[in-house]
Amino acid sequence: QLILKKSYKQHLHTDSLVDLCFNETNQYIASCDASKSIYIWSLTDNNKEDPIKTISFENYQLASMRFVTLPQEQQDNNNTSSSLKEYLYVIAHQHAKGNSYILQYTTSNWSLIQSIKVGPHLITSLECSKKLKYLSLTSNQGDVYIYDTPMLHRINHVSKCHELPATGTAFSVTETYAISVSADKSIYFTSTQDNSSIFDHMKSIIYILCHLIFIIFILIKATNLLDDVI
């Protein structure tokens, strides 16, 4: 059954299409091409064949995109507006420095909010979890990156968990793991648990142990000195 039919001017994309995505409310389509352009199309205005927004890049190669509409519980508690917060996340590679980035745009005015450096690898796939809490990225070096939304805090990074380039990623139903696959026929499960808190806890324990060892060493030295005096 045909639900919607729209015709767009094909000459706008001057190069091969790289990715295409819908937003959650089916108001927009975003399409990007190899000529470093993103076009935002309206699905609600049948009189508009031209894009409502064009985002052009000079120094980036575009890889993939995802719309994320935040659930109410993930939004700012001080936000009294009834409208939902929605973002467009774009994966782009900068040729000059060889780094990949996550670019975050707001759909309210399509302005760039932040640019997060991922690493010195090409990003091969991007996926958002079902509850829109996490983003999973894979690289051509077999790495897996997990970020939260909307702040893009890096939760986990597993280096070279695949021997060949990772080719896809998805989340488990419970969002406990991001699952990645690779050209080497391997499947890897990456935890969405924030490992930084674990590392901070371990560093605190090591710090305390070092101080205890130092205190014990001082006590032993003091005891030896007292024995010599006696």
Side-chain angles (χ1 to χ4, degrees):
Q1 181 182 1
L2 180 63
I3 299 175
L4 176 69
K5 182 178 181 180
K6 288 180 70 70
S7 174
Y8 296 105
K9 295 180 180 179
Q10 297 179 358
H11 69 271
L12 286 173
H13 280 291
T14 58
D15 210 329
S16 57
L17 287 172
V18 175
D19 200 9
L20 177 78
C21 62
F22 290 80
N23 77 324
E24 188 176 334
T25 57
N26 292 325
Q27 289 179 291
Y28 312 112
I29 294 178
S31 58
C32 66
D33 58 28
S35 65
K36 306 173 185 178
S37 296
I38 294 176
Y39 296 101
I40 310 296
W41 312 86
S42 173
L43 290 175
T44 56
D45 190 345
N46 291 322
N47 296 320
K48 279 193 175 182
E49 291 189 351
D50 293 324
I52 60 174
K53 180 67 178 180
T54 301
I55 305 172
S56 299
F57 301 86
E58 293 183 1
N59 302 317
Y60 292 99
Q61 175 188 345
L62 303 176
S64 54
M65 307 175 296
R66 287 294 183 276
F67 279 106
V68 172
T69 304
L70 293 184
Q72 199 68 39
E73 61 270 17
Q74 281 183 250
Q75 300 191 42
D76 189 348
N77 293 330
N78 298 322
N79 180 29
T80 57
S81 173
S82 59
S83 60
L84 296 177
K85 288 186 178 181
E86 185 174 49
Y87 303 99
L88 176 64
Y89 293 97
V90 179
I91 302 299
H93 184 74
Q94 193 175 36
H95 284 295
K97 297 182 179 180
N99 294 315
S100 289
Y101 294 83
I102 306 176
L103 309 177
Q104 183 184 22
Y105 291 86
T106 175
T107 60
S108 59
N109 56 10
W110 303 107
S111 61
L112 179 65
I113 297 177
Q114 60 177 330
S115 174
I116 302 296
K117 178 182 173 182
V118 179
H121 310 307
L122 283 172
I123 300 302
T124 54
S125 65
L126 165 69
E127 192 55 77
C128 185
S129 64
K130 185 176 181 180
K131 295 181 181 178
L132 309 177
K133 287 185 177 181
Y134 308 110
L135 292 175
S136 175
L137 293 73
T138 61
S139 79
N140 64 337
Q141 297 296 314
D143 291 26
V144 177
Y145 302 86
I146 308 294
Y147 290 85
D148 69 357
T149 60
M151 300 305 296
L152 293 180
H153 167 65
R154 182 182 289 184
I155 295 175
N156 206 343
H157 170 216
V158 182
S159 178
K160 300 185 184 300
C161 54
H162 299 286
E163 295 182 0
L164 293 178
T167 54
T169 182
F171 283 91
S172 61
V173 176
T174 58
E175 301 188 353
T176 308
Y177 299 98
I179 304 146
S180 56
V181 294
S182 167
D184 63 10
K185 302 179 182 179
S186 64
I187 300 175
Y188 194 88
F189 289 74
T190 304
S191 173
T192 56
Q193 181 181 359
D194 190 344
N195 286 336
S196 61
S197 59
I198 297 174
F199 294 140
D200 290 340
H201 186 60
M202 290 178 63
K203 285 191 288 186
S204 298
I205 293 174
I206 293 172
Y207 179 80
I208 293 171
L209 287 175
C210 288
H211 274 71
L212 286 174
I213 292 171
F214 178 75
I215 292 170
I216 292 170
F217 175 77
I218 295 298
L219 289 173
I220 292 173
K221 292 289 288 184
T223 302
N224 292 335
L225 287 172
L226 286 173
D227 291 339
D228 293 339
V229 170
I230 294 171

